[in-house]
Amino acid sequence: EAYREKMIRAEHLASLGTLSAMLSHEMTQPLTVLRLSLQNALRTLEDAPPPATVLDYVAKVADALDYANAQGIVHRDIKPANIMLLKDNNIRVTDFGIARITASSKTATGTVVGTPAYMSPEQVGGKKVDGRSDLFSLGVVLFELLCGEKPFKGGDGGLGTLLFQIANDPEPDPLKLNPKVPSCAAEVV
């Protein structure tokens, strides 16, 4: 019941333009104002928004995640497809379907949920996550928007290699993949 109440509060925030929690058919409002998800903006690096716009989008998502995290909600599946760009250029964070309330035990430690390429090392390890996990995932989104590719790809080794890279490898230097990335943004990533 507490979980449902927090999610209803998150849905209320969506109407205020801060956060959108898409949970179930009964709690989902049709988003007819959507223009595109950021995933659609990632078709090629040439089609990606300019770095200043990317940083603005990411800052808006960070604000929404900060609010959700302050309410004890961890999204656990931040990725471009769950970040919607509205007609008025505002941003919505969607699909809280696997969100977790940090104080609850809805998802047991040892359970891995999320989209692998955007998972934090803690998610990969099946450990308990908090808002820092969402921040890591947002960093992967930022890297992808700035560089046109994900920082960890897995290569021919598939999912196992990808998860190992996330848990163990340092992130690549964004400037080596896209020299046009502003140095201040490269430092943040």
Side-chain angles (χ1 to χ4, degrees), residues 15 39 43 82 101 104 129 146 149-150 168:
S15 68
Q39 182 175 30
R43 298 285 179 220
N82 290 339
I101 304 224
S104 78
V129 297
L146 292 172
E149 61 185 69
K150 296 172 188 74
N168 297 290

Side-chain angles (χ1 to χ4, degrees), residues 3-169:
Y3 179 79
R4 184 173 171 80
E5 286 177 27
K6 284 192 182 244
M7 292 303 153
I8 289 170
R9 266 190 261 147
E11 187 66 31
H12 171 69
L13 290 173
S15 68
L16 300 176
T18 306
L19 182 65
S20 179
M22 309 298 281
L23 294 173
S24 67
H25 295 294
E26 64 198 66
M27 294 173 66
T28 301
Q29 299 174 1
L31 293 175
T32 56
V33 296
L34 293 182
R35 182 165 72 185
L36 56 95
S37 73
L38 288 186
Q39 182 175 30
N40 291 332
L42 294 172
R43 298 285 179 220
T44 67
L45 185 57
E46 291 76 33
D47 294 336
T53 303
V54 167
L55 293 172
D56 180 56
Y57 292 165
V58 169
K60 289 176 182 178
V61 174
D63 286 344
L65 292 175
D66 181 57
Y67 185 88
N69 296 161
Q71 304 308 306
I73 299 168
V74 181
H75 189 283
R76 301 191 309 168
D77 198 22
I78 295 297
K79 60 185 177 184
N82 290 339
I83 301 169
M84 297 293 169
L85 178 62
L86 304 180
K87 287 181 180 179
D88 63 2
N89 282 326
N90 278 316
I91 294 287
R92 293 284 189 273
V93 175
T94 64
D95 194 2
F96 279 70
I98 64 168
R100 179 178 183 278
I101 304 224
T102 53
S104 78
S105 57
K106 287 250 181 221
T107 302
T109 300
T111 303
V112 178
V113 292
T115 303
Y118 300 93
M119 285 181 172
S120 69
E122 294 77 19
Q123 281 178 288
V124 166
K127 298 177 182 171
K128 188 174 181 176
V129 297
D130 58 26
R132 294 173 291 183
S133 181
D134 285 346
L135 189 59
F136 180 92
S137 299
L138 184 56
V140 173
V141 171
L142 175 60
F143 187 100
E144 187 175 8
L145 284 168
L146 292 172
C147 298
E149 61 185 69
K150 296 172 188 74
F152 305 107
K153 297 177 222 50
D156 293 335
L159 182 60
T161 302
L162 172 65
L163 299 179
F164 180 85
Q165 289 172 343
I166 291 169
N168 297 290
D169 291 356

